[in-house]
Amino acid sequence: MDTRYAEYKNFQISSELLPLIKYMEPVEQSREKLNDLSKNWDSLSLLSQLGDAGVDMSRIKNNFTTLSSELINYLGTELLKKSVGEINSKAQVAVDIVIRNLFERTADIGFLATDEKIKDFLLMNRTKYTEGYEQHIQEIKRHFLEYVDKYSVYFDIILMNTKGDILANIDSENRVSKSHDSVIKQALTTSEEYVETFKYHDFLPEHKESLVYSYKITQNNDHSCEALGVLCLCFKFEDEMKKICDNLVNTHTKECITLLNKEGRVIASSDRYHVPLDAKLEVVLNDSYKIISFGGRDYLAKSCESKGYQGFYGLGWYGHIMVPLEYAFADMGKESFEISQELLLAILQHGDQFSGQLKNIPIQASAIQNNLNRAIWNGNVKQSRSNNNNKQFSRALLQEIRKTGENTKGIIGSSMASLTKTMVLGDSVFLANLIVDIMDRNLYERANDCRWWALTSDFRKTLENEKVNAFEREKMHDTLVYINDLYTVYTNLFIYDRHGVVLAVSNKDEEHLIGRKLTNDYIARTLDITDSSHYHVSDFEPSNLYEGKHTYIYNASIRSLHDEEKVLGGIGVVFDSEVQFESMINESLPKGENGAVKEGFFAVLATKERILISSNHEKHSTGAFLNVDKKFFALKSGESLSEIIEYENKYYALGVQCSRGYREYKSEADSYENDIYSFVFSYISDVEETRLEINPAFALKKDVSLQMDEDSVDIASFMIGSQWLGVNAHDVIEAVSIEELKSTVTINTEHHFKGTILYNESFVSVIDIRNFLQEESRAPYEEIVILKFGEKEEYIGILVNTLGDIPEVHRDRIKPLEEYIIGNGTIAKSVVFPHKDSREKDVLTILSVDKINKELVKPQQTYMIERSISA
């Protein structure tokens, strides 16, 4: 962060935040509240000069002002980090998701270029003028439509001969008959396995630019032999980018997500009226963000190049996002779930992801408030000994000072708690959504693959035979191997006949399956499918087709070429679930500098029955039960939730997303239903270490506080453990911090003498009276109350946990303890009971300074019984 500072509305703000902070609503709300309190401090400083409060207002105000500026800077910095993290993630995902999709397209063109029906069509129809062309064109169009119905990512399939004559396509509106496009030569001469072009294509005249995958078709699939023609798959680029952007764009921030080509020109935009196509934008690769101007408006901008997928990087595009500055932080601090401020502040102190400077802010606020409380307590003690006319005014002023301090500390605490919630949740839902979106997109391809390959003419011709000979089996095997080499997400592809008997496999290690009859339910269901648009998927369960591990097996029926209602067998594809699901998770989670998933992050995919599909956590094995609240599994398709949860004795930020499907896959048009839930866990801290540190309230006990009169006595009260105690204010010198205590290392640790403090150039002994009060609590001491005793006004200090108020108690409310407890051995002399109609039930016990001196400081014979503490 920029370490230079500038003045902003009475606060010192980092120069980096200066152009942004006015758009950060949570920060501005905190700043305005703190600024209002700053005015209160100014007023109190003036009023303190009229009274005798005994409080250094200048120092207190400066402490709070300095801390307030630190708070505003950290709030702004962390919100900026979160926003920048989000835009980086979205720009990266925008390009990576489309690259993953296009990788599948490169396999599609490789497969379809070997299709027997297409080759046969070209052999019989070198031009449009061959005999039988009109009949053949209708057949090949139906064949193309079968493919496009399975893969809705294509808007046209175009087949042309080597001279550019367009012989077939499925878009009846496209009447172009001849192409001179450069892609023809590229496809015919390339040594690669596909040609990918994004430009104007003369055979798609209605499209200014289009994304096309092309390849040559040869008679025997040998790349070096004579080409018969060129096949082009025309991808629905705009449609696909809309789906990607719709899933990423946050409408609250008015952001625009775009794809840029290598020159920085916009080729896709989530809102073309906001950022139009063809606009030239600055590519922001080396900075985490940059403020840019476009169309008279300032934006946070970020660009990302693709990380690639299985070595495929596409055409070198960039994901690019632009968020208007005035909306860049519009969605910050609005997390909907409820969690206590105390727990959030405890998480802040113990969470590894928080810097020491952040953790120190609420600690500093507490320290300043504690010092203020002590100063006010001492001021009230001073007023108790005072006879001036301003006594009541000074006391009222002290109360107002304390109230203002507590308000300041409260704003700091609530701001830090809100920031903690925002920080720990981070991108948990975004990551959960990313994982399940990648999964849906991937499995969409699997559902299409099996149906597409079931259309293979060779498979259908072979299965027409009652018996399949060895040569035909080998030919099917070769075809399956070729397909499996193109589509590497499968461990095996297999063909089975109408009885469920395996005829061919792609994986040689699985050849033992040939001749075996499969009796699984999903096989029987597949053999009942007569509609080529339908498919069937196994349950996620252990399978001997996947080495006994859990997986999904996608199936489609293979139907007769002569009778579409006749099922000849089926094709099954064994998804490499273990590898692929784990890859989806690991590639989606944030990485550290070493490239590995950041420590503390893990994710799981689970079924609605809470069965684990995959996880990158070693203790969460596939097939195990996920023991989390069942409410998460009540989420419906596309819904998400984020919370801080306690899981396995640890606090985690959790993001959950229910799958929504992709295109037709798991849509209303699809009979397949299978909700999958993505859980992203981000470790915060151990539950045992994250203790709630709730400071006792420093508040007035109104039922014992009366208006001042001659029959009232001031009681300086404090807390030791759970006991509310006090002494006559005239016996008190003042309170000092426990930090002043100098321990005596040679003393018996069980002894009530605990050390000394230096006060007014004299050493004062400090004692612990807790064991003489039969008090169970072992909360740490924070204060030392210095008492005076004896004619020579000697001093003794007692350890207390917190300071209370200095109530004025009417003398007739004070009851001597001897009336209620008979016997010796107590340092208490009286008690004050609450009014019978009061809600307050605490009893104020008044200690005797003389007894403390006589029994504990200078004992000759004591009746005191110290409570023994077992180790």
Side-chain angles (χ1 to χ4, degrees):
M1 189 179 86
D2 193 333
T3 54
R4 294 173 298 171
Y5 290 86
E7 181 82 14
Y8 175 74
K9 296 183 178 180
N10 302 322
F11 288 81
Q12 290 296 309
I13 298 299
S14 161
S15 297
E16 183 180 15
L17 294 175
L18 205 54
L20 303 169
I21 193 167
K22 62 184 176 182
Y23 303 118
M24 298 176 173
E25 184 180 346
V27 182
E28 278 293 271
Q29 288 175 349
S30 295
R31 185 199 57 76
E32 288 174 3
K33 290 177 183 177
L34 290 169
N35 193 53
D36 289 342
L37 286 173
S38 179
K39 296 174 184 176
N40 286 359
W41 285 117
D42 290 337
S43 300
L44 292 171
S45 293
L46 289 173
L47 289 172
S48 67
Q49 297 175 17
L50 302 176
D52 187 21
V55 177
D56 186 350
M57 289 299 300
S58 176
R59 182 173 61 85
I60 291 169
K61 184 199 170 189
N62 287 340
N63 287 341
F64 272 124
T65 299
T66 300
L67 188 60
S68 295
S69 285
E70 287 184 32
L71 170 67
I72 296 303
N73 271 285
Y74 279 115
L75 287 176
T77 299
E78 294 302 328
L79 287 190
L80 177 58
K81 281 183 183 177
K82 180 172 172 59
S83 182
V84 168
E86 287 181 359
I87 66 174
N88 273 262
S89 295
K90 289 184 177 183
Q92 190 67 64
V93 169
V95 67
D96 283 345
I97 286 286
V98 74
I99 289 300
R100 273 179 168 268
N101 190 314
L102 301 185
F103 170 77
E104 299 279 355
R105 311 293 66 87
T106 65
D108 290 349
I109 189 64
F111 167 73
L112 203 55
T114 64
D115 184 86
E116 290 296 326
K117 271 195 175 183
I118 297 175
K119 283 192 289 185
D120 289 345
F121 175 83
L122 285 173
L123 286 170
M124 292 185 289
N125 302 276
R126 294 301 180 105
T127 72
K128 290 183 177 180
Y129 307 107
T130 56
E131 187 178 351
Y133 172 79
E134 291 301 326
Q135 177 185 346
H136 298 153
I137 187 64
Q138 297 307 317
E139 292 176 0
I140 200 66
K141 278 188 176 183
R142 282 196 298 270
H143 191 54
F144 285 170
L145 284 169
E146 280 270 31
Y147 281 120
V148 171
D149 286 345
K150 312 298 179 295
Y151 279 93
S152 61
V153 296
Y154 299 113
F155 67 88
D156 205 353
I157 298 178
I158 296 175
L159 180 63
M160 60 186 84
N161 62 22
T162 56
K163 295 179 181 180
D165 296 320
I166 296 176
L167 303 179
N169 73 304
I170 56 177
D171 182 3
S172 59
E173 299 297 319
N174 184 357
R175 301 183 184 278
V176 176
S177 60
K178 181 76 173 180
S179 173
H180 301 281
D181 203 281
S182 60
V183 77
I184 300 171
K185 183 177 180 181
Q186 286 179 264
L188 292 172
T189 59
T190 184
S191 59
E192 302 296 329
E193 296 180 346
Y194 60 89
V195 172
E196 181 184 28
T197 49
F198 182 77
K199 64 184 188 71
Y200 173 75
H201 298 91
D202 67 2
F203 50 84
L204 297 170
E206 298 300 316
H207 298 264
K208 184 178 179 181
E209 289 180 309
S210 52
L211 182 58
V212 175
Y213 291 85
S214 309
Y215 201 57
K216 60 189 172 187
I217 296 175
T218 60
Q219 187 167 351
N220 58 4
N221 300 333
D222 183 347
H223 302 326
S224 61
C225 72
E226 180 189 0
L228 302 176
V230 174
L231 181 69
C232 299
L233 300 181
C234 307
F235 183 67
K236 291 181 178 177
F237 179 68
E238 290 183 15
D239 178 64
E240 179 60 21
M241 286 310 303
K242 183 179 186 306
K243 293 182 184 299
I244 291 173
C245 292
D246 286 350
N247 195 34
L248 290 176
V249 166
N250 180 352
T251 56
H252 295 120
T253 62
K254 315 293 184 186
E255 64 198 24
C256 187
I257 296 175
T258 64
L259 271 188
L260 310 181
N261 66 10
K262 288 181 178 180
E263 291 74 41
R265 184 173 60 83
V266 176
I267 59 174
S269 174
S270 62
D271 185 348
R272 61 180 60 194
Y273 298 104
H274 188 173
V275 180
L277 299 180
D278 284 331
K280 187 73 163 47
L281 300 177
E282 180 180 355
V283 178
V284 185
L285 286 177
N286 298 323
D287 298 313
S288 60
Y289 76 96
K290 192 170 184 179
I291 297 176
I292 67 168
S293 293
F294 177 80
R297 198 178 198 182
D298 290 334
Y299 295 83
L300 280 186
K302 175 60 183 172
S303 313
C304 291
E305 56 189 356
S306 175
K307 296 176 182 176
Y309 180 64
Q310 297 194 17
F312 174 74
Y313 290 86
L315 297 171
W317 296 336
Y318 302 111
H320 184 81
I321 185 170
M322 295 165 58
V323 190
L325 289 192
E326 62 267 36
Y327 294 102
F329 312 96
D331 219 24
M332 299 292 180
K334 297 181 179 179
E335 295 78 12
S336 58
F337 76 97
E338 296 297 324
I339 185 170
S340 72
Q341 178 172 314
E342 290 79 14
L343 177 56
L344 285 169
L345 292 177
I347 284 171
L348 170 64
Q349 291 305 316
H350 298 280
D352 294 337
Q353 66 269 56
F354 305 107
S355 67
Q357 295 96 323
L358 268 181
K359 293 180 179 183
N360 199 38
I361 288 178
I363 293 174
Q364 282 183 270
S366 292
I368 293 171
Q369 183 63 40
N370 288 342
N371 289 335
L372 177 59
N373 288 345
R374 187 184 307 115
I376 291 169
W377 197 84
N378 289 332
N380 276 313
V381 167
K382 180 181 177 181
Q383 293 303 318
S384 296
R385 300 195 296 265
S386 172
N387 292 318
N388 66 57
N389 295 328
N390 283 338
K391 181 176 181 180
Q392 286 299 85
F393 172 77
S394 295
R395 282 198 161 180
L397 179 60
L398 287 169
Q399 289 289 77
E400 193 61 33
I401 291 171
R402 182 176 66 190
K403 179 181 177 182
T404 302
E406 288 172 346
N407 287 342
T408 305
K409 180 190 171 189
I411 292 170
I412 291 172
S414 63
S415 297
M416 292 304 297
S418 178
L419 174 63
T420 301
K421 186 195 288 190
T422 299
M423 287 179 66
V424 296
L425 288 177
D427 297 330
S428 55
V429 167
F430 177 81
L431 295 172
N433 176 59
L434 175 59
I435 291 170
V436 84
D437 184 48
I438 291 174
M439 180 206 70
D440 277 336
R441 288 168 168 273
N442 192 307
L443 298 183
Y444 159 84
E445 304 286 349
R446 310 308 49 104
N448 293 340
D449 287 348
C450 65
R451 291 178 293 165
W452 202 351
W453 302 335
L455 299 174
T456 304
S457 299
D458 276 353
F459 296 160
R460 301 170 79 175
K461 289 175 184 177
T462 300
L463 291 181
E464 288 280 8
N465 302 324
E466 285 296 327
K467 292 185 178 181
V468 179
N469 59 41
F471 173 78
E472 291 169 326
R473 289 175 189 268
E474 188 63 27
K475 189 176 180 182
M476 284 196 296
H477 164 73
D478 291 343
T479 304
L480 292 176
V481 169
Y482 175 76
I483 295 172
N484 210 162
D485 286 344
L486 288 172
Y487 299 83
T488 56
V489 297
Y490 303 106
T491 59
N492 194 25
L493 315 178
F494 58 96
I495 302 290
Y496 47 94
D497 66 16
R498 71 193 71 186
H499 305 295
V501 176
V502 177
L503 301 176
V505 297
S506 65
N507 187 343
K508 274 198 170 292
D509 293 337
E510 300 292 323
E511 287 185 346
H512 62 275
L513 295 173
I514 296 175
R516 180 184 297 182
K517 182 174 182 178
L518 303 177
T519 58
N520 310 75
D521 178 67
Y522 61 84
I523 298 292
R525 289 178 178 269
T526 301
L527 292 172
D528 285 337
I529 295 174
T530 58
D531 187 335
S532 66
S533 65
H534 293 172
Y535 60 97
H536 195 77
V537 189
S538 71
D539 291 333
F540 188 74
E541 60 189 6
S543 173
N544 59 3
L545 302 179
Y546 191 58
E547 299 178 350
K549 297 178 292 186
H550 287 72
T551 192
Y552 287 116
I553 299 176
Y554 284 75
N555 296 261
S557 62
I558 297 175
R559 296 164 300 115
S560 171
L561 284 168
H562 312 295
D563 181 0
E564 295 286 344
E565 296 292 319
K566 183 180 179 181
V567 176
L568 306 174
I571 182 170
V573 297
V574 183
F575 185 57
D576 194 0
S577 297
E578 183 177 55
V579 172
Q580 294 301 318
F581 284 135
E582 187 174 345
S583 174
M584 295 174 200
I585 289 173
N586 286 329
E587 290 179 18
S588 301
L589 294 178
K591 308 297 188 298
E593 292 182 1
N594 61 357
V597 173
K598 277 187 178 179
E599 188 175 353
F601 276 91
F602 75 92
V604 302
L605 288 167
T607 67
K608 198 172 186 67
E609 294 71 37
R610 293 195 263 180
I611 302 301
L612 281 172
I613 290 175
S614 183
S615 172
N616 67 325
H617 194 292
E618 58 185 10
K619 292 184 178 179
H620 295 78
S621 57
T622 300
F625 183 78
L626 182 60
N627 188 23
V628 295
D629 196 318
K630 61 182 180 181
K631 71 178 180 182
F632 297 117
F633 294 90
L635 293 174
K636 297 177 181 178
S637 176
E639 292 182 340
S640 61
L641 189 63
S642 61
E643 286 191 5
I644 295 173
I645 67 164
E646 183 180 330
Y647 180 67
E648 296 185 342
N649 300 316
K650 293 178 173 62
Y651 284 118
Y652 286 96
L654 176 67
V656 187
Q657 176 78 47
C658 178
S659 61
R660 63 168 59 85
Y662 171 67
R663 292 186 177 269
E664 301 79 26
Y665 179 65
K666 293 199 292 190
S667 70
E668 292 181 358
D670 189 0
S671 59
Y672 181 52
E673 295 181 5
N674 184 26
D675 285 340
I676 302 297
Y677 296 82
S678 172
F679 292 77
V680 171
F681 294 78
S682 175
Y683 171 75
I684 300 172
S685 60
D686 288 354
V687 172
E688 186 176 346
E689 294 177 357
T690 312
R691 297 184 179 91
L692 301 185
E693 298 174 1
I694 305 174
N695 292 324
F698 185 73
L700 182 68
K701 303 281 186 176
K702 292 186 178 179
D703 64 306
V704 296
S705 297
L706 304 174
Q707 291 185 354
M708 184 179 179
D709 60 42
E710 294 181 357
D711 291 325
S712 296
V713 59
D714 290 342
I715 303 297
S717 72
F718 44 81
M719 299 293 293
I720 297 181
S722 60
Q723 299 190 43
W724 186 27
L725 308 169
V727 294
N728 192 309
H730 288 277
D731 294 330
V732 177
I733 300 301
E734 69 172 291
V736 298
S737 170
I738 188 69
E739 294 175 359
E740 303 291 330
L741 179 64
K742 309 296 181 184
S743 299
T744 303
V745 295
T746 58
I747 200 72
N748 180 355
T749 56
E750 295 298 322
H751 198 277
H752 57 272
F753 174 66
K754 295 302 178 183
T756 60
I757 58 173
L758 183 63
Y759 181 76
N760 286 346
E761 299 183 354
S762 298
F763 286 104
V764 177
S765 296
V766 178
I767 61 175
D768 181 358
I769 66 173
R770 176 165 49 192
N771 290 345
F772 302 101
L773 299 170
Q774 306 300 301
E775 174 56 45
E776 298 284 345
S777 171
R778 287 296 175 263
Y781 290 120
E782 301 291 341
E783 311 286 345
I784 300 171
V785 175
I786 302 174
L787 308 175
K788 65 179 182 179
F789 62 89
E791 296 179 359
K792 297 181 180 180
E793 289 199 357
E794 297 178 77
Y795 295 164
I796 185 69
I798 62 172
L799 297 170
V800 305
N801 294 110
T802 56
L803 300 172
D805 199 42
I806 314 288
E808 297 175 30
V809 182
H810 203 281
R811 293 182 187 278
D812 64 9
R813 298 277 314 285
I814 302 174
K815 306 298 181 183
L817 193 60
E818 286 77 8
E819 295 182 15
Y820 302 93
I821 301 176
I822 299 175
N824 297 310
T826 177
I827 54 176
K829 69 176 181 179
S830 54
V831 293
V832 180
F833 287 102
H835 287 295
K836 62 181 180 179
D837 56 349
S838 172
R839 294 181 180 179
E840 179 60 61
K841 300 303 178 185
D842 289 343
V843 174
L844 172 59
T845 301
I846 301 176
L847 304 179
S848 167
V849 175
D850 289 336
K851 285 188 176 183
I852 291 173
N853 172 44
K854 181 179 178 182
E855 301 291 348
L856 300 179
V857 181
K858 297 180 178 179
Q860 295 178 353
Q861 178 181 3
T862 182
Y863 297 95
M864 296 298 298
I865 300 175
E866 182 175 1
R867 181 176 179 270
S868 61
I869 305 297
S870 58

